[in-house]
Amino acid sequence: MAEEVVLLNFWPSIFGMRTMIALEEKGVKYEYREEDVINNKSLMLLEMNPIHKKIPVLIHNGKPVCESIIQVQYIDEVWSDKNPFLPTDPYQRAQALFWADFIEKKLCVCGRRAWTTKGEELEATNKEFLELLKILQSELGDKPYFGGAKFGFVDIIMIGFYCWFPAYDKFGNFSIESECCKLMAWGKRCMERESVAKSLPDPEKVVGYVLQLK
Amino acid sequence: MADEVILLDFWPSPFGVRARIALREKGVEFEYREENLRNKSPLLLQMNPVHKKIPVLIHNGKPVCESMNVVQYIDEAWSDKNPFLPSDPYQRAQARFWVHFIDTKLYEPADKIWSTKGEEQETAKKEYIKALKVLESELGDKPYFGGDNFGFVDIAMTGYYSWFEASEKCGNFSIEPECPTLMASAKRCLQRESVVNSLHDPEEIVAFAFKIRKIYCV
């Protein structure tokens, strides 16, 4: 039976990028549907994610999977024959899930605050953002990828930020390249992968999107 | 080789409870170490340098942090008995979704119920009940979120069940009339041997909640 895979997404979303990369890495054909999340969410989105009404939503043979980290794990488990994202060892898996959770609970939350605060609070947020990136850079160490020699789960969860870095730089008035050059090198390395290059929008387009919001 | 399993924990913690239950469900012998959160041990700071929080599971010297991450690890490391997650990827995704819901929608309101008063507390109570009703709707007629078997989502919820009485007394409200089937499932979970052995007397948790309420709620 042919698989039917649909992704409801909004193009600047770091979360949607994770799911797109995961599908591309597994060679899964899918239908991309752009959602107007600001003005007019589709009936399909509201039906498939009634609890949160958010993108991305992965719809596999009519059944929805919500929350990007959960989607990436799901994709890894369903199309398990190719390119595993998570290691098989339980301890290594726990480490990967820990860092995915760190990115979600700390970096994403801080990142969001950068767009909704100003003055002193913004200064503090920007400082925290750079500190969090440095913690991640320290975890990366000398490895080519967070997953070690191979592109894996944590790389997929983190890489969407790379196309947002110029926007953060511009509005945060700092330079992520100067503060975290190893992390930038990691980003460039990931961008060489077809799955990533196909799934991340042009950073200039992201800057334009933020300008429009502000 | 015998496993060495240590759990760094804090007795009233609804997150620590999850790890304790998971270990007992698998029949794993472990050493429980109580942490004084005002004076964290060097071991805690070394084993969880990023968050400096409990619970931390230390398995043969290697740390695992974040409660539901610990629970998933326990499920995979001792996979021969009592699986917490279903084997079907879609069912697993659903279980993870509900755990994510629990940890994002219950945490703040539950926290504010014991730490605030007046309008802020009233708003927190409303949000808490609203989230519990969504969970009750997901539970439906099933004895557990896991269906017939106590599973991953039930373990996550039992942390909050252990604080139901404390929340009710701090907030002066009752959960049962609002969510009767969820309460029935909660009682079922609270009676499981692994849970009974992992929890202090509810009265002690209530007393603890009032003690910290005095500090936070001037």
Side-chain angles (χ1 to χ4, degrees):
Chain A
M1 186 186 84
E3 305 268 18
E4 190 204 43
V5 182
V6 177
L7 180 68
L8 307 182
N9 193 27
F10 177 50
W11 70 266
S13 163
I14 285 175
F15 308 101
M17 288 171 213
R18 296 165 172 173
T19 313
M20 288 170 71
I21 293 167
L23 289 166
E24 293 286 343
E25 283 285 321
K26 298 285 190 178
V28 176
K29 297 245 177 300
Y30 68 100
E31 181 194 337
Y32 179 97
R33 289 194 203 167
E34 189 69 37
E35 283 283 334
D36 177 4
V37 297
I38 299 170
N39 297 314
N40 192 20
K41 292 178 179 177
S42 73
L43 288 171
M44 166 134 307
L45 172 56
L46 300 176
E47 184 195 318
M48 290 286 155
N49 191 358
I51 305 278
H52 302 300
K53 305 176 177 54
K54 286 182 176 180
I55 56 86
V57 181
L58 180 72
I59 310 169
H60 184 201
N61 295 331
K63 299 199 294 188
V65 180
C66 305
E67 295 302 316
S68 60
I69 291 181
I70 296 172
Q71 289 161 356
V72 175
Q73 285 181 84
Y74 174 78
I75 291 163
D76 202 26
E77 292 176 6
V78 171
W79 290 279
S80 57
D81 50 323
K82 182 180 175 181
N83 269 357
F85 303 150
L86 279 166
T88 45
D89 170 65
Y91 185 74
Q92 302 296 338
R93 290 160 70 82
Q95 296 314 296
L97 290 169
F98 174 87
W99 287 105
D101 178 75
F102 176 88
I103 290 162
E104 199 71 346
K105 287 209 190 101
K106 296 284 192 181
L107 192 67
C108 290
V109 171
C110 182
R112 221 170 280 137
R113 262 205 319 272
W115 309 117
T116 56
T117 55
K118 35 190 185 192
E120 254 181 59
E121 215 187 323
L122 177 59
E123 282 298 309
T125 300
N126 288 335
K127 193 168 165 228
E128 191 191 340
F129 190 71
L130 288 171
E131 275 164 20
L132 293 170
L133 289 182
K134 285 178 180 167
I135 291 174
L136 283 161
Q137 182 169 261
S138 173
E139 168 57 21
L140 177 67
D142 290 323
K143 309 194 294 289
Y145 300 105
F146 282 98
K150 280 167 57 177
F151 181 78
F153 192 73
V154 181
D155 304 286
I156 294 174
I157 300 308
M158 185 59 195
I159 191 58
F161 272 100
Y162 184 74
C163 68
W164 272 76
F165 279 168
Y168 279 108
D169 274 352
K170 188 182 173 84
F171 293 99
N173 209 21
F174 48 56
S175 161
I176 295 172
E177 174 84 60
S178 327
E179 304 269 355
C180 300
C181 62
K182 270 189 172 166
L183 198 65
M184 284 302 269
W186 161 83
K188 286 178 188 143
R189 193 175 298 123
C190 292
M191 283 298 290
E192 286 165 15
R193 286 182 88 75
E194 197 184 332
S195 63
V196 177
K198 269 174 120 172
S199 308
L200 262 55
D202 186 342
E204 284 307 307
K205 219 177 146 192
V206 174
V207 171
Y209 165 72
V210 178
L211 271 168
Q212 209 186 45
L213 286 182
K214 278 192 161 279
Chain B
M1 188 187 82
D3 273 321
E4 190 203 48
V5 183
I6 298 170
L7 182 68
L8 306 183
D9 201 353
F10 178 51
W11 69 268
S13 165
F15 306 104
V17 154
R18 294 165 165 180
R20 288 171 233 161
I21 293 169
L23 287 165
R24 290 192 167 101
E25 284 285 323
K26 296 286 189 177
V28 176
E29 298 279 333
F30 68 99
E31 182 192 336
Y32 177 97
R33 288 196 201 169
E34 191 66 42
E35 282 284 333
N36 176 356
L37 297 185
R38 290 192 199 183
N39 186 18
K40 293 175 182 179
S41 72
L43 185 67
L44 173 56
L45 300 176
Q46 183 199 358
M47 291 286 155
N48 191 359
V50 175
H51 301 300
K52 305 174 176 53
K53 287 183 175 180
I54 58 89
V56 179
L57 182 77
I58 311 171
H59 186 196
N60 295 330
K62 300 199 290 190
V64 182
C65 309
E66 294 302 304
S67 65
M68 290 318 291
N69 203 17
V70 171
V71 173
Q72 183 163 323
Y73 173 78
I74 291 167
D75 200 27
E76 293 178 1
W78 290 276
S79 58
D80 50 323
K81 182 180 175 182
N82 269 358
F84 303 150
L85 277 167
S87 49
D88 171 66
Y90 187 74
Q91 302 296 339
R92 290 158 74 85
Q94 296 315 296
R96 288 175 178 139
F97 175 86
W98 288 107
V99 167
H100 178 264
F101 179 90
I102 288 162
D103 277 347
T104 48
K105 298 290 185 182
L106 290 184
Y107 180 75
E108 258 188 53
D111 212 58
K112 287 191 174 165
I113 287 170
W114 64 258
S115 65
T116 66
K117 52 188 182 183
E119 245 189 79
E120 207 180 343
Q121 194 194 49
E122 286 305 307
T123 305
K125 280 154 64 177
K126 285 195 181 93
E127 275 174 30
Y128 193 59
I129 293 288
K130 187 174 160 196
L132 289 179
K133 283 184 166 171
V134 174
L135 284 160
E136 185 175 65
S137 172
E138 167 57 21
L139 178 68
D141 290 326
K142 309 193 294 289
Y144 300 104
F145 283 98
D148 287 326
N149 297 315
F150 180 78
F152 196 64
V153 183
D154 304 285
I155 294 175
M157 268 312 282
T158 303
Y160 285 97
Y161 295 154
S162 73
W163 268 72
F164 268 4
E165 206 173 316
S167 299
E168 285 172 322
K169 295 224 161 97
C170 286
N172 199 25
F173 71 118
S174 177
I175 296 170
E176 184 146 20
E178 304 275 4
C179 302
T181 47
L182 187 69
M183 271 310 259
S185 185
K187 285 176 186 162
R188 211 170 279 126
C189 292
L190 290 168
Q191 278 161 14
R192 276 181 89 75
E193 194 182 336
S194 63
V195 178
V196 167
N197 290 335
S198 301
L199 281 178
H200 278 234
D201 196 331
E203 286 307 308
E204 285 184 59
I205 297 180
V206 173
F208 173 79
F210 274 102
K211 189 173 125 185
I212 51 171
R213 185 173 166 71
K214 261 198 202 144
I215 300 168
Y216 281 83
C217 211
V218 179

